[in-house]
Amino acid sequence: GNAADPHEVELTRERVVTQPVSSKMADATTGYVHILEFTKQSSTQVKNAVAALAKTGATRYVVDLRGATQGDLDDGVATARLFVKSGTLAIKESKAGKDTVAAQAGDGEITAPVVLVVDESTARAGEVFAAALDGAKRAEMIGRHTVGSAARQKFVKLPDGSALLLSNVRYLTPAGTALHEKGLQPEVVVDEPEVEFGVTPPTTDLELQKALEYFSQKKAA
């Protein structure tokens, strides 16, 4: 039959899982690691990605957290341990009080310079990860303000059958400031390019460009 003839295609709805952690060389000495989803495997995947990039000549890293919304908040903290040697990673606040999550012996094995790229699609585990590195003065953030949704929520069924979504554990930055509903403000802000309607937006990744510029300026300084 002709390719244009109608034919039945069976579709199954699946969540498209792109690589939760992908990496490449951004330039001769900069490794680029994009964390799209935090899982129990994230810290191993990031560690392996960085090790592989280091073999290729990377001496510094851009960790991209754009689109990082999925995953358990604790997995964000666990991945942050790779970069933070000492001090507070996060503070969990619940009815029971505040619980400080601190770096342990063996943490902070990745010591190379890091820049984080964040924007309005960075949330939850991505925000907790970014706050841990930023709070430890381990990385600067470049991009745009993050979402502000760093709370673990649970459904509470009410007698009338309706349900409430309650934030039962909130995560704070290492300095103790609220992340939930506040978000993180990057040190270097990259505004979205104004694009006229019908005009194709520029394909350059402005945030990544800025991150690379940041490194070269730091080198020169």
Side-chain angles (χ1 to χ4, degrees), residues 1-11:
N2 188 335
D5 288 348
H7 51 282
E8 273 188 39
V9 179
E10 206 169 292
L11 293 177

Side-chain angles (χ1 to χ4, degrees), residues 55-69:
K55 283 203 179 84
T56 321
T59 55
R60 55 199 192 176
Y61 299 90
V62 173
V63 178
D64 193 345
L65 297 164
R66 288 172 296 179
T69 54

Side-chain angles (χ1 to χ4, degrees), residues 16-206:
V16 181
V17 179
T18 42
Q19 211 58 24
V21 174
S22 61
S23 57
K24 63 179 184 190
M25 289 297 282
D27 64 21
T29 53
T30 313
Y32 169 87
V33 179
H34 193 176
I35 306 174
L36 255 181
E37 182 173 350
F38 283 89
T39 65
K40 293 273 169 279
Q41 285 76 47
S42 291
S43 76
T44 309
Q45 287 168 342
V46 170
K47 185 175 154 175
N48 294 344
V50 167
L53 292 166
K55 283 203 179 84
T56 321
T59 55
R60 55 199 192 176
Y61 299 90
V62 173
V63 178
D64 193 345
L65 297 164
R66 288 172 296 179
T69 54
Q70 299 294 323
D72 191 78
L73 301 176
D74 286 339
D75 295 334
V77 176
T79 309
R81 289 187 182 282
L82 288 172
F83 299 90
V84 181
K85 206 172 183 59
S86 62
T88 303
L89 293 161
I91 296 170
K92 293 186 197 183
E93 186 182 44
S94 65
K95 278 203 177 76
K98 287 184 182 174
D99 179 21
T100 299
V101 183
Q104 300 157 344
D107 285 354
E109 57 185 277
I110 299 170
T111 54
V114 178
V115 161
L116 304 176
V117 180
V118 299
D119 70 2
E120 57 286 335
S121 68
T122 306
R124 302 185 57 74
E127 284 177 299
V128 172
F129 173 87
L133 269 67
D134 188 60
K137 300 273 181 284
R138 187 59 191 87
E140 299 259 320
M141 294 182 289
I142 287 177
R144 288 187 295 283
H145 203 98
T146 66
V147 177
S149 64
R152 187 170 291 137
Q153 295 170 318
K154 64 171 182 183
F155 275 107
V156 179
K157 275 233 159 76
L158 299 176
D160 65 1
S162 64
L164 263 183
L165 190 58
L166 287 185
S167 300
N168 55 340
V169 179
R170 286 168 185 265
Y171 280 64
L172 310 178
T173 69
T177 52
L179 264 175
H180 198 58
E181 287 166 5
K182 293 270 188 292
L184 295 165
Q185 177 63 27
E187 283 85 5
V188 181
V189 177
V190 181
D191 289 318
E192 279 212 73
E194 294 287 321
V195 177
E196 282 177 48
F197 186 72
V199 176
T200 322
T203 47
T204 14
D205 184 336
L206 290 175

